[in-house]
């Protein structure tokens, strides 16, 4: 308990598109560090004591919901679980996540993006019988390993870090991105989804899909959930290449 | 004036809200879901450990069925629940889980053969049956006779919510994000929708609907330390209260979870103890067996939380700069198990505590976790006093939890209530065409506009954030795990004062569009009112039941208190809620009040309890051939929507 309490310097991008004539500027806020302080705690402290207009998004503050991704000293990450002690110089620069519509300051509209992604890859089980299942009877069996494997791919929290870290996405507006490819890989693994490789090809069999990926792997480097994005994208690409 | 019309308006995009929207949509009714954020970020996603449903596929769940689940739930509630609703719930839960399996949840499955588990601190080998291989498995949780908690690793809520939201997307159900309902539109005892604020533009929009369903979750953020998400502020409950017509039930019933990490209050799942984790004190001693020799760490949550607090008070806590805590030891479960089945816990320990739970103990303390109270509804999910207003999930007092909820019964409630209430919502849409005068909409719209205008104009006054902090501290210090007359009286007085001060909120940031301070200004007075309902209800309830533990009234008093608190706020100018009570009818109970089996039984019994027990005995004798289904119909006839009435199949047992 001998940590000495530092004064942290936060450099935060401020811009509210709702205010006519507002221009983006970097503002500096000083915060006294406390033991175990996260960026979540620090930002709330700034909002309470210094600037009540500061916008940011936190929901679970436990690294579970994916709301709070932002660029922290140049790298996308979940702010809620980033401890300020990680930064020995005590300087922390925060920018909103690129690749998404800006709502204001550090808040971006990932929801709109993710809904569109889900609609595009048809992020649901495709099985004509899914709604006619007799709920009174034993559920369909699934190999325990397959269930575990699906869960591994379903741990994505739609935080958007992979999109912000993707150079392809930066160059190609329509690129689906790792989050969408991963979602599709999840359904491709799931025996309950009756879609064929040909069906998946219709969705991702072009340069806006799996063939657009330049394998720079920013997605893999920055995924806060350590999802196997690189491998899954490679699998998908091989699968899709075999379709035609 | 911007007005949006729909058949079924749902406020809240978590599991319960989405499930209601899906039910209404599948019946052909237009549904719109309002959400503070993307639906997949709802607090439902934080449910780690699992969902209770009596599938009985795992060998440790053998012999489980609806009846056993019912018994556990009623006992867990300390007989405070509505037994009709508990019955509806347990009978439908297996269907809910099977439906979610068809919709894509990758439930962890039974693996045939031997596996090593930790039970009561010992490594034990259990053998799963060949014929159960591939069915949905379950883990142990507190307060349950069988291993009944189905799970996907420790990301159960996440996978359920993703499957549910994906289903909603498949059905084309719109989720209007970053929209906050700030008032309900109602007249002559009928609800017609809500006045909604766009949190980006600040625009007020009237959403007008045949039915309005509130599914906004709990009110954990009334407390300064809680496991709940920052959005769990109870605003859905508050706007129902502010109608003056709908009531809130049992608001004083607030659960504390035994194992949240210190100091930030993030939850580590009950699965830690369910899977064999132990609680240790400052001497490294396992203390729960001394207090609860039978259930030990897996006693009901309220019991474990109180025992931990007692033990800390005896000086056995581990001192830290954040106050005393205890240890949760999962090291005995081994790395492989932790990395597979308790992975979120591991991540939380690494990121927030900088420790590896495979090797080190986790500092934990009981922390506010769940709101049993909420919008009082009948068994159909509709408010008995405000027609067309429904509620489902944690924000509702549908009342299957009474005064203490079992772990794993919460996400289970969200989907089961969503299924059942969703059908009744659709029924209501079918029989009640929308007739509304636009003057009524304008009236409510103007009222909200004027309130916001007044706040923005005020040049001095109270800071909403400061008021909120004061409220949270009062609740924490005086309306916590153990309660007493003196503290509660003070809390009620102090909250009354805060309520008055909240009429004079002033903002430093005076813009009406995207403005976090304005969001607080709208919410804080509502939260204070909810806090008043909790504190006042707790002060007047002179007994201990479930999570409501009065040091000055330690006994459960069925004679005088087998009743549900109903809080109303009938007059805006009042400074206290009006409390009424609704009796629980012992003569209709399938399971008359008895002992939960924790500590000494000092219950003051209800005069009807013996009478009802004798009556049940007579019914049993008169119907010697009745099977368990017929017996349930005789003792507790319930109504369920037609499609959920079938018997549930189990492995090795068929439909019996």
């Amino acid at each position: 308990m001998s940590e000495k309490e530092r004064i942290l310097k936060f450099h935060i991008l401020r811009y509210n598109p709702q205010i006519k004539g507002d221009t983006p500027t970097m503002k500096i806020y000083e915060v006294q560090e406390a033991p175990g302080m996260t960026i979540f705690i620090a930002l709330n402290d700034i909002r309470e004591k210094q600037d009540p207009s500061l916008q940011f998004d936190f929901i679970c503050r436990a690294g579970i919901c994916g709301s709070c991704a932002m660029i922290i000293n140049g790298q996308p990450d979940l702010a809620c679980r980033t401890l300020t002690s990680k930064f020995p110089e005590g300087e922390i620069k925060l920018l909103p996540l690129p690749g998404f519509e800006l709502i204001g300051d550090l808040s971006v509209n990932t929801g709109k993006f993710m809904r569109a992604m889900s609609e595009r890859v048809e992020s649901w089980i495709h099985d004509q019988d899914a709604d006619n299942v007799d709920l009174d009877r034993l559920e369909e069996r699934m190999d325990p390993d397959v269930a575990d494997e699906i869960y591994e791919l379903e741990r994505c929290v739609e935080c958007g870090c992979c999109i912000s870290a993707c150079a392809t996405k930066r160059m190609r507006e329509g690129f689906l991105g790792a989050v969408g490819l991963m979602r599709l890989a999840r359904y491709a693994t799931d025996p309950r989804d009756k879609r064929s490789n040909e069906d998946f090809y219709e969705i991702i069999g072009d340069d806006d899909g799996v063939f657009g990926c330049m394998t720079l792997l920013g997605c893999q480097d920055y995924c806060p959930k350590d999802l196997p994005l690189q491998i899954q994208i490679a699998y998908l690409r091989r699968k899709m290449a075999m379709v035609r | 004036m911007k007005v949006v019309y729909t058949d079924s308006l749902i406020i809240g995009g978590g599991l319960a809200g989405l499930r209601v929207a899906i039910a209404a949509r599948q019946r052909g009714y237009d549904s719109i879901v309002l959400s503070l954020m993307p639906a997949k970020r709802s607090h439902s996603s934080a449910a780690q450990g699992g969902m209770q449903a009596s599938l009985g596929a795992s060998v440790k769940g053998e012999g489980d069925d609806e009846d056993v689940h019912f018994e556990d739930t009623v006992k867990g509630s300390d007989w405070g629940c509505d037994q009709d609703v508990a019955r509806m719930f347990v009978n439908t839960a297996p269907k809910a889980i099977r439906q979610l399996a068809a919709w894509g949840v990758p439930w962890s499955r039974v693996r045939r053969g031997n596996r090593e588990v930790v039970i009561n601190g010992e490594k034990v080998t259990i053998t799963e049956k060949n014929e159960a291989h591939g069915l949905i498995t379950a883990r142990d949780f507190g307060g349950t006779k069988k291993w009944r908690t189905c799970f996907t690793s420790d990301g159960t809520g996440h996978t359920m919510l993703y499957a549910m939201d994906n289903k909603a997307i498949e059905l084309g159900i719109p989720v209007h994000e970053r929209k906050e309902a700030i008032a309900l539109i109602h007249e002559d005892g009928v609800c017609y929708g809500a006045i909604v604020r766009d949190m980006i533009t600040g625009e007020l929009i009237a959403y007008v609907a045949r039915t309005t369903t509130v599914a906004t979750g709990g009110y954990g953020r009334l407390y300064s330390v809680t496991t709940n998400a920052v959005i769990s502020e109870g605003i859905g409950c508050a706007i129902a209260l502010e109608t003056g017509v709908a009531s809130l039930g049992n608001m004083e019933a607030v659960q504390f979870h035994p194992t949240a990490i210190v100091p930030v209050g993030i939850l580590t799942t009950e699965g830690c103890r369910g899977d064999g984790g132990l609680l240790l004190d400052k001497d490294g001693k396992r203390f729960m067996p001394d207090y609860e020799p039978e259930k030990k760490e897996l006693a009901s949550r309220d019991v474990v939380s109180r025992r931990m607090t007692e033990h800390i008070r005896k000086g056995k806590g581990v001192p830290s700069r954040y106050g005393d805590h205890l240890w949760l030891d999962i090291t005995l479960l081994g790395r492989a198990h932790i990395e597979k089945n308790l992975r979120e816990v591991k991540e939380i320990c690494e990121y927030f505590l900088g420790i590896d739970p495979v090797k080190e103990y986790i500092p934990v303390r009981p922390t506010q976790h769940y709101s049993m109270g909420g919008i009082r509804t009948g068994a159909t999910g509709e408010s008995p006093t405000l027609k067309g207003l429904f509620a489902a999930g944690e924000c509702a007092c549908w009342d299957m939890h009474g005064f203490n909820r079992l772990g794993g019964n919460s996400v289970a409630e969200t989907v089961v209530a969503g299924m059942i209430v969703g059908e009744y919502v659709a029924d209501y849409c079918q029989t009640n065409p929308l007739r509304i005068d636009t003057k009524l909409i304008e009236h409510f719209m103007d009222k909200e506009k004027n309130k916001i205008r007044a706040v923005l104009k005020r040049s001095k006054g109270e800071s909403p954030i400061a008021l909120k902090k004061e409220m949270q501290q009062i609740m924490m210090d005086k309306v916590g795990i153990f309660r007493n007359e003196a503290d509660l009286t003070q809390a009620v007085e102090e909250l009354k004062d805060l309520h008055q001060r909240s009429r004079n909120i002033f903002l430093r940031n005076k813009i009406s569009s995207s403005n976090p301070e304005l969001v607080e200004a709208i919410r804080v007075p509502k939260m204070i009112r909810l806090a008043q309902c909790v504190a006042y209800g707790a002060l007047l309830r002179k007994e201990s039941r479930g999570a409501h533990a009065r040091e000055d009234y330690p006994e459960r008093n069925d004679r005088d208190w087998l009743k549900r608190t109903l809080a109303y706020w009938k007059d805006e100018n009042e400074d206290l809620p009006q409390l009424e009570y609704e009796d629980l009818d012992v003569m209709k109970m399938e399971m008359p009040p008895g002992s939960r089996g924790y500590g000494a039984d000092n219950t003051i019994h209800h005069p009807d309890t013996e009478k009802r027990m004798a009556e049940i005995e007579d019914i049993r004798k008169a119907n010697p051939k009745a099977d368990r289904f017929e017996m349930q119909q005789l003792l507790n006839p319930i109504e369920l929507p037609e499609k959920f009435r079938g018997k549930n199949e189990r492995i090795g047992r068929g439909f019996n």
Side-chain angles (χ1 to χ4, degrees):
Chain A
M1 300 294 161
S2 62
E3 304 135 86
K4 53 176 188 291
E5 291 176 3
R6 304 181 294 173
I7 300 292
L8 301 169
K9 229 180 217 177
F10 282 87
H11 306 252
I12 301 177
L13 182 119
R14 299 300 313 271
Y15 175 50
N16 186 347
Q18 296 292 324
I19 299 176
K20 277 199 188 107
D22 196 20
T23 49
T25 47
M26 293 300 291
K27 279 201 181 156
I28 299 176
Y29 301 88
E30 291 190 347
V31 175
Q32 179 161 5
E33 192 174 34
M37 182 177 253
T38 58
I39 292 182
F40 162 72
I41 295 170
L43 285 176
N44 276 294
D45 194 78
I46 293 172
R47 190 192 265 177
E48 272 169 38
K49 296 181 187 143
Q50 302 183 47
D51 192 336
S53 68
L54 181 61
Q55 296 183 58
F56 47 76
D57 292 318
F58 290 96
I59 307 283
C60 76
R61 61 78 174 92
I64 291 168
C65 76
S67 298
C68 63
M70 55 183 74
I71 304 294
I72 305 168
N73 282 353
Q75 308 195 4
D77 207 346
L78 299 180
C80 73
R81 65 178 201 187
T82 301
L83 295 166
T84 54
S85 57
K86 223 177 111 178
F87 306 99
E89 289 82 33
E91 303 255 344
I92 300 171
K93 190 168 160 188
L94 302 177
L95 302 173
L97 210 57
F100 299 91
E101 183 183 295
L102 182 75
I103 290 173
D105 302 335
L106 300 172
S107 170
V108 296
N109 201 335
T110 49
K112 194 170 159 187
F113 179 99
M114 295 300 169
R115 171 91 182 202
M117 177 277 290
S118 292
E119 287 169 354
R120 180 167 161 192
V121 305
E122 301 188 4
S123 169
W124 53 85
I125 297 282
H126 287 57
D127 177 2
Q128 289 182 326
D129 299 326
D131 278 321
N132 303 321
V133 170
D134 184 345
L135 302 180
D136 300 340
R137 294 190 172 279
L138 291 184
E139 63 278 9
E140 199 161 319
R141 286 166 202 266
M142 181 182 276
D143 187 278
D145 292 330
V146 173
D148 292 348
E149 204 182 323
I150 298 168
Y151 176 63
E152 277 309 303
L153 307 187
E154 185 152 289
R155 294 178 60 251
C156 169
V157 294
E158 297 192 348
C159 62
C161 286
C162 59
I163 297 298
S164 72
C166 177
T168 308
K169 179 74 188 169
R170 207 62 61 81
M171 293 189 295
R172 190 184 278 283
E173 179 63 29
F175 183 57
L176 180 59
V179 59
L181 294 169
M182 190 64 179
R183 183 61 50 81
L184 219 124
R186 177 244 175 274
Y187 284 99
T189 306
D190 194 327
R192 293 169 294 193
D193 194 315
K194 307 300 180 212
R195 278 180 285 186
S196 65
N197 283 343
E198 284 75 12
D199 295 332
F200 291 132
Y201 189 89
E202 289 302 316
I203 300 171
I204 54 161
D206 60 11
D207 286 352
D208 276 342
V210 77
F211 299 121
C213 171
M214 299 189 296
T215 332
L216 296 171
L217 299 177
C219 55
Q220 172 94 25
D221 294 344
Y222 291 108
C223 176
K225 292 286 156 183
D226 295 322
L227 294 172
L229 299 165
Q230 175 183 4
I231 289 177
Q232 289 302 323
I233 292 172
Y235 278 159
L236 273 182
R237 184 153 43 201
R238 194 168 62 188
K239 232 185 239 176
M240 292 302 105
M242 310 239 277
V243 171
R244 293 205 186 146
Chain B
M1 183 170 66
K2 188 166 170 186
V3 184
V4 176
Y5 291 93
T6 185
D7 295 324
S8 158
L9 174 67
I10 290 111
I11 303 170
L15 279 169
L18 290 170
R19 187 62 187 83
V20 169
I22 289 168
R25 186 74 205 88
Q26 287 187 323
R27 290 266 303 270
Y29 297 100
D30 190 46
S31 299
I32 294 177
V33 176
L34 302 177
S35 182
L36 297 176
M37 65 282 139
K40 285 191 174 85
R41 310 215 188 287
S42 305
H43 189 50
S44 305
S45 70
Q48 299 167 0
M51 159 168 174
Q52 283 206 45
S54 59
L55 300 180
S58 161
V59 70
K60 298 293 280 181
E62 240 171 55
D64 200 11
D65 57 29
E66 299 83 359
D67 298 353
V68 188
H69 192 185
F70 176 77
E71 231 175 81
D72 285 344
T73 302
V74 174
K75 262 191 198 171
S77 80
D78 219 352
W79 278 270
C81 74
D82 180 324
Q83 296 197 7
D84 293 7
V85 169
R87 242 314 154 186
M88 293 165 75
F89 162 74
V90 297
N91 287 12
T92 311
K95 301 179 210 306
I97 211 160
R98 285 169 174 162
Q99 182 167 61
L100 284 169
W103 289 356
V105 174
W107 297 110
S108 295
R109 302 287 171 143
V110 177
R111 189 187 302 273
R112 63 169 76 94
N114 291 343
R115 69 188 167 110
E116 203 170 69
V117 297
V118 176
I119 299 176
N120 192 19
E122 306 284 331
K123 286 202 168 137
V124 181
T125 300
I126 61 173
T127 311
E128 295 288 2
K129 283 192 186 142
N130 212 14
E131 59 267 31
H133 185 77
L135 294 174
I136 296 170
T137 191
R139 57 164 42 133
D140 200 6
F141 251 41
T144 64
K145 266 204 189 114
K146 304 284 178 185
W147 291 23
R148 187 188 298 126
T149 306
C150 307
F151 62 98
T152 39
S153 178
D154 64 351
T156 314
H158 170 85
T159 61
M160 290 172 71
L161 183 61
Y162 270 53
M164 196 69 89
D165 189 45
N166 287 333
K167 185 74 191 173
I169 295 173
E170 179 190 354
L171 295 172
I173 295 169
V175 178
H176 293 191
E177 292 172 12
R178 294 180 192 262
K179 300 274 193 298
E180 176 157 32
I182 57 173
L184 293 174
I185 303 166
H186 65 99
E187 187 179 47
D188 299 331
V190 183
C191 180
Y192 295 104
I195 302 296
V196 174
R197 181 170 176 272
D198 182 313
M199 297 169 81
I200 299 175
T201 64
E203 185 184 21
L204 294 191
I205 308 161
Y207 281 74
V208 174
R210 298 183 194 211
T211 60
T212 305
T213 304
V214 179
T216 50
Y219 43 88
R221 289 276 157 182
L222 300 183
Y223 288 80
S224 58
V225 186
T226 167
T227 64
N228 286 191
V230 299
I231 51 167
S232 300
E233 298 189 312
I235 302 307
C237 294
I239 60 175
L241 179 72
E242 287 180 344
T243 61
V245 184
S247 67
L248 304 181
N250 283 346
M251 291 296 282
E252 64 272 31
V254 176
Q255 181 177 74
F256 287 74
H257 193 290
T259 60
I261 63 170
V262 178
V264 289
I266 295 171
L267 179 74
T268 59
T269 172
E270 184 154 324
C272 292
R273 281 169 293 132
D275 290 0
L278 304 175
L279 292 169
L280 308 178
D281 64 15
K282 69 172 185 187
D283 306 319
K285 178 182 152 59
R286 182 183 178 199
F287 58 90
M288 276 308 294
D290 296 347
Y291 294 98
E292 297 298 337
E294 199 196 330
K295 294 292 281 185
K296 307 176 185 80
E297 281 83 359
L298 287 173
S300 250
R301 283 181 181 170
D302 59 326
V303 177
V304 179
S305 288
R306 280 196 294 275
R307 296 309 199 183
M308 289 169 75
T309 308
E310 272 180 74
H311 204 62
I312 290 174
R313 284 179 177 180
K314 283 182 191 164
K316 294 291 184 182
V318 184
S320 84
R321 66 183 294 164
Y322 301 106
D324 293 353
H325 63 77
L326 293 158
W327 298 117
L328 172 64
D329 171 17
I330 58 171
T331 60
L332 69 168
L333 307 184
R335 179 174 298 279
H337 182 90
I338 291 170
E339 285 181 353
K340 181 161 173 283
N341 285 328
L342 297 170
R343 186 163 169 171
E344 296 292 336
V345 170
K346 185 160 187 280
E347 271 189 20
I348 286 166
C349 288
E350 286 167 352
Y351 281 100
F352 295 94
L353 297 169
I355 63 162
D356 178 2
V358 173
K359 296 184 200 139
E360 291 163 273
Y361 298 161
I362 309 168
V364 295
R365 189 160 56 199
T367 299
Q368 194 290 338
H369 181 60
Y370 189 80
S371 317
M372 273 76 74
I375 300 169
R376 177 65 187 137
T377 74
T380 61
E382 190 179 7
S383 160
T385 42
L386 187 54
K387 277 187 66 186
L389 176 70
F390 291 78
E394 189 173 352
C395 76
C397 182
W398 192 33
D399 217 3
M400 55 165 281
H401 305 303
F403 277 76
N404 173 59
R405 169 177 75 76
L406 295 182
N409 259 356
S410 165
V411 278
E413 177 187 18
T414 62
V415 291
V416 172
M419 287 167 93
I420 295 173
V421 174
E423 293 302 322
Y424 292 119
V425 163
D427 288 352
Y428 188 99
C429 287
Q430 195 172 335
T431 47
N432 292 277
L434 183 63
R435 280 194 206 91
I436 185 169
D437 191 333
T438 46
K439 264 195 186 153
L440 179 71
I441 308 175
E442 266 175 47
H443 165 76
F444 279 92
M445 181 70 103
D446 290 344
K447 202 169 146 191
E448 294 310 308
K449 263 191 194 148
N450 292 337
K451 273 198 234 166
I452 291 173
R453 208 170 285 152
V455 168
L456 288 170
K457 260 188 169 167
R458 205 167 284 135
S459 54
K460 60 178 202 281
E462 303 280 349
S463 146
I465 298 178
L467 287 177
K468 181 169 159 181
K469 289 210 144 173
E470 280 187 52
M471 169 199 70
Q472 289 172 327
Q473 208 51 51
I474 295 168
M475 295 301 285
M476 204 67 201
D477 295 343
K478 293 167 187 162
V479 199
I481 296 184
F482 284 106
R483 301 165 174 183
N484 61 62
E485 187 92 16
D487 284 350
L488 290 170
T489 307
Q490 264 189 22
V492 168
E493 284 309 311
E494 289 169 7
L495 289 168
K496 206 193 272 181
D497 177 54
L498 284 188
H499 182 247
Q500 283 161 359
R501 287 165 57 196
S502 75
R503 294 203 167 102
N504 193 29
I505 283 176
F506 126 97
L507 302 184
R508 289 171 289 171
N509 182 31
K510 296 191 185 302
I511 59 168
S512 65
S513 62
S514 188
N515 177 355
E517 200 185 20
L518 177 56
V519 171
E520 297 286 354
I522 294 170
R523 289 182 190 167
V524 168
K526 292 177 163 41
M527 294 175 74
I528 292 173
R529 287 182 171 179
L530 293 183
Q532 289 183 276
C533 293
V534 178
Y536 195 36
L539 172 65
L540 295 198
R541 183 173 285 274
K542 297 187 187 329
E543 66 155 354
S544 293
R545 184 180 297 275
H548 173 70
R550 285 284 299 252
E551 291 165 311
D552 39 359
Y553 299 94
E555 64 290 324
R556 188 181 89 205
N557 184 344
D558 291 347
R559 188 190 61 207
D560 304 316
W561 284 102
L562 198 54
K563 46 179 108 176
R564 188 174 292 119
T565 310
L566 299 178
Y568 289 91
W569 208 292
K570 291 179 182 165
D571 179 352
E572 276 180 62
N573 301 313
E574 281 290 336
D575 266 325
L576 258 189
Q578 297 81 56
L579 300 191
E580 296 174 11
Y581 293 93
E582 177 185 8
D583 285 331
L584 272 63
D585 187 353
V586 177
M587 294 309 289
K588 289 202 173 125
M589 286 185 184
E590 181 177 349
M591 199 169 131
S595 161
R596 289 172 82 193
Y598 298 120
D601 179 21
N602 49 7
T603 307
I604 300 172
H605 286 284
H606 192 280
D608 284 349
T609 298
E610 267 188 40
K611 232 188 284 176
R612 176 62 176 164
M613 290 199 337
E615 190 177 64
I616 289 174
E617 204 42 48
D618 290 344
I619 294 173
R620 284 192 192 282
K621 273 187 199 147
N623 299 277
K625 285 195 184 128
D627 64 16
R628 68 183 185 95
F629 303 102
E630 289 159 347
M631 193 47 70
Q632 181 228 302
Q633 273 305 315
L634 288 167
L635 297 179
N636 189 10
I638 51 161
E639 283 218 29
L640 272 171
E642 175 110 33
K643 54 177 90 163
F644 306 135
R645 288 183 198 162
K647 295 177 183 174
N648 300 307
E649 188 183 12
R650 287 179 187 83
I651 190 78
R653 196 166 154 179
F655 288 92
N656 294 311

